[in-house]
Amino acid sequence: MNDKILRSPFFYVGDKYKLINEIRQYFPQEIDTFVEPFVGGGSVFMNVQANAYCLNDIDSYVIKLHKHLCKCANNPDKLFALIDKLVCQYGLSHSYKEDIIPKEIKQTFKKTYFARFNKAAYTKMRDDFNQASQKDMTFLYLLLIYGFNRMLRFNKNGDFNLPVGNVDFNANVVATLNEYFEQVTLKQPSWYNKDYKVFIKNLELSERDFIYLDPPYLITFSEYNKLWNDKNEKELLTLLDKLNESGIRFAISNVTHYKGRENTIFTSWCSKYEVHPITSNYISYHDNTIKEFNEVLVINY
């Protein structure tokens, strides 16, 4: 297993990047097919060894971005040349090559100068993306990289509506993209854009396979979790019980307590399995501060 922890090039706030070492110590040593029904940015699969990878997310843009980057892995130079062109076209900062932000802006806005400098250019790029067909995934990836908290967020009209972030296309982004290209070239993952129940139902799983689940958390308040309710939680846990009865190995991350709230549905259910406390790195999308947050990993093997 690679000692270096690799991070998703999506850079999601609250992803499992900082927890990989803690989580994967409980994963099976040998895995035929590694399955992720809620793959998100992909930090977990990038750090797990298996013979095959089946990865799913219900967010179509997440999967479109992954598929686009996988295609770009065949010719990274072409992608970076296109990124250079777009960055220069819109006049965005690009510290991976040079620092173009005036000293006056840095001195006046010491902690927010990236956002101040990029705001107008980012807004123009976002408007152009929304007014076009929204099929250009290089465009969308740049919006993600320069956007606030690097989130994928669309309004009810289907427009990408994330404001600019205090971030930049820097050398770390380039390095992380190259590591992603290396991993997907090696692992050749299969991508799916389905409801997780349909996704799992259509797989032919055996006792040699392993499912890792990082679903929306019922009692937290991030954008990702807003559409998840008690019914969804119970359906997921019922499905896991059926997988257990079939001898399919799984591990699920979840939150049992958050800001005085308890996920009693989950805490009651998980008592029948093996529960491992996890040192969470959760950060709120709203105020970027660490919260009282009890996270666990539950395994059935």
Side-chain angles (χ1 to χ4, degrees), residues 37-38 196-197 200 211 213-217 228-243 250 252-254 265-266 269:
F38 307 92
Y196 77 90
K197 296 187 293 295
I200 293 175
I211 304 178
L213 305 97
D214 186 25
Y217 297 155
W228 195 258
N229 56 33
D230 288 6
K231 179 175 179 291
N232 300 134
E233 189 86 351
K234 291 175 181 177
E235 287 178 348
L236 172 59
L237 301 182
T238 297
L239 185 151
L240 291 180
D241 284 338
K242 291 180 180 178
L243 289 172
F250 67 76
I252 178 171
S253 292
N254 213 322
I265 296 172
F266 191 82
W269 171 83

Side-chain angles (χ1 to χ4, degrees), residues 175-193:
T176 304
L177 272 171
N178 281 321
E179 289 170 345
Y180 178 91
F181 294 150
E182 183 179 330
Q183 287 299 306
V184 296
T185 299
L186 177 67
K187 295 178 175 178
Q188 295 292 309
S190 297
W191 299 100
Y192 301 85
N193 173 219

Side-chain angles (χ1 to χ4, degrees), residues 69-190:
L69 293 181
C70 282
K71 288 181 180 178
C72 293
N74 298 321
N75 190 354
D77 290 342
K78 183 178 179 180
L79 174 67
F80 287 124
L82 180 55
I83 286 173
D84 286 348
K85 181 180 178 181
L86 288 170
V87 164
C88 292
Q89 175 185 330
Y90 285 96
L92 293 158
S93 67
H94 46 280
S95 61
Y96 71 103
K97 282 202 165 180
E98 63 176 316
D99 184 357
I100 64 171
I101 300 179
K103 290 182 179 179
E104 311 85 75
I105 293 180
K106 287 185 174 181
Q107 290 170 352
T108 306
F109 307 101
K110 293 182 179 179
K111 294 185 178 180
T112 60
Y113 57 82
F114 280 127
R116 292 284 179 170
F117 180 83
N118 288 322
K119 183 177 181 180
Y122 177 87
T123 302
K124 178 68 168 66
M125 183 170 65
R126 186 184 63 194
D127 290 344
D128 287 349
F129 175 78
N130 287 329
Q131 289 168 10
S133 63
Q134 296 187 342
K135 292 183 179 180
D136 191 328
M137 291 299 103
T138 301
F139 240 96
L140 182 58
Y141 182 70
L142 279 178
L143 288 171
L144 174 70
I145 292 302
Y146 284 93
F148 177 72
N149 272 344
R150 288 171 167 163
M151 297 166 60
L152 280 176
R153 193 182 73 185
F154 293 79
N155 63 22
K156 292 180 180 179
N157 295 324
D159 289 335
F160 186 84
N161 69 343
L162 198 68
V164 70
N166 190 44
V167 284
D168 179 51
F169 202 103
N170 55 34
N172 187 42
V173 177
V174 175
T176 304
L177 272 171
N178 281 321
E179 289 170 345
Y180 178 91
F181 294 150
E182 183 179 330
Q183 287 299 306
V184 296
T185 299
L186 177 67
K187 295 178 175 178
Q188 295 292 309
S190 297

Side-chain angles (χ1 to χ4, degrees), residues 258 282-292:
Y258 174 67
Y282 179 74
I283 300 175
S284 169
Y285 286 112
H286 302 291
D287 59 16
N288 290 340
T289 56
I290 304 298
K291 299 296 184 184
E292 280 188 25

